[in-house]
Amino acid sequence: MKIKSIVIMLIFAGLIGLAFYSAQEEKEEPETVENTTDEDTGLKPGSKAPNFSLKTLDGKQIQLNDYRGKKVILNFWATWCPPCREEMPEMQKFYSDYKDKNVEILAVNLAYAETKKEKVGEFVEKYDLSFPIPLDEKNTTGKKYRAVSIPTSYFIDENGNITNFHIGPMDYEFMKAEIIKMNR
């Protein structure tokens, strides 16, 4: 009984130590200041989608604002997430059908939560994904978009306004319906 209590106390102490370490690590991370002229950014439908700048899997620096003039599906995911794996073939099929119709998919990988960055490349190759894969290595964009449960997706119109958001996996018909709603 005494050993069990000691083990429980050690686990509890370890968790507290991990929480303090994580909190300290977050404080040491430099805050990035976005140049935005829009005062009404937010995450609710009708709000301007917050801009972000991330490097893609192939090393290209992109910003959300680079995609103004297109409809954007902004998706947050990780390789270890079963619902994310479920929706990726649907997203690729949708992208193949809609990329020439002024629609872009940005699938932000929450790289800070991956065990190895190489897994992202292997995943992309396995699923033959052709849409951009920005890497959120410091969880700055994931936090900004409150992507706590994944997959989480935001639908953004040509003017950069959020039209809807969705938590959970998407299928082809759902994405199609959301894009059609933007045309109304």
Side-chain angles (χ1 to χ4, degrees):
M1 188 68 169
K2 202 172 201 177
I3 292 175
K4 191 175 183 181
S5 297
I6 291 171
V7 169
I8 290 172
M9 285 184 4
L10 287 173
I11 291 172
F12 184 68
L15 289 172
I16 290 173
L18 180 63
F20 280 118
Y21 175 78
S22 296
Q24 183 62 32
E25 195 173 71
E26 284 179 18
K27 287 179 187 175
E28 291 172 0
E29 228 175 74
E31 294 265 338
T32 56
V33 178
E34 302 283 341
N35 289 333
T36 180
T37 57
D38 300 310
E39 304 268 326
D40 57 342
T41 60
L43 297 177
K44 293 180 180 175
S47 299
K48 196 69 74 182
N51 191 31
F52 61 84
S53 180
L54 294 171
K55 282 191 178 176
T56 60
L57 190 57
D58 60 3
K60 181 182 173 191
Q61 191 78 31
I62 65 161
Q63 292 187 50
L64 178 61
N65 286 348
D66 295 341
Y67 296 91
R68 288 275 170 91
K70 289 188 171 198
K71 297 172 183 92
V72 176
I73 299 173
L74 177 62
N75 176 264
F76 293 90
W77 68 283
T79 61
W80 48 263
C81 162
C84 301
R85 289 193 300 265
E86 177 186 324
E87 77 178 350
M88 283 297 168
E90 295 283 314
M91 288 172 58
Q92 181 56 48
K93 181 175 177 2
F94 183 83
Y95 184 68
S96 294
D97 291 348
Y98 280 82
K99 67 182 177 187
D100 295 328
K101 297 178 182 173
N102 208 31
V103 177
E104 187 65 65
I105 292 178
L106 298 177
V108 177
N109 176 266
L110 299 175
Y112 76 95
E114 298 287 353
T115 54
K116 293 181 184 172
K117 188 177 174 181
E118 297 81 33
K119 285 187 175 187
V120 181
E122 292 166 6
F123 184 97
V124 168
E125 193 173 303
K126 177 181 176 182
Y127 287 92
D128 198 24
L129 304 178
S130 61
F131 42 81
I133 309 287
L135 302 173
D136 190 5
E137 297 183 85
K138 295 184 178 177
N139 195 24
T140 53
T141 305
K143 279 184 183 176
K144 187 182 288 190
Y145 278 85
R146 298 184 191 129
V148 178
S149 296
I150 55 173
T152 294
S153 300
Y154 287 86
F155 295 85
I156 303 167
D157 69 15
E158 297 96 329
N159 299 314
N161 296 314
I162 294 172
T163 60
N164 201 4
F165 65 93
H166 179 76
I167 297 172
M170 301 179 291
D171 64 18
Y172 186 97
E173 291 303 317
F174 179 80
M175 289 180 276
K176 181 179 173 183
E178 289 299 320
I179 294 302
I180 288 171
K181 277 196 250 179
M182 285 186 205
N183 292 332
R184 293 182 187 156

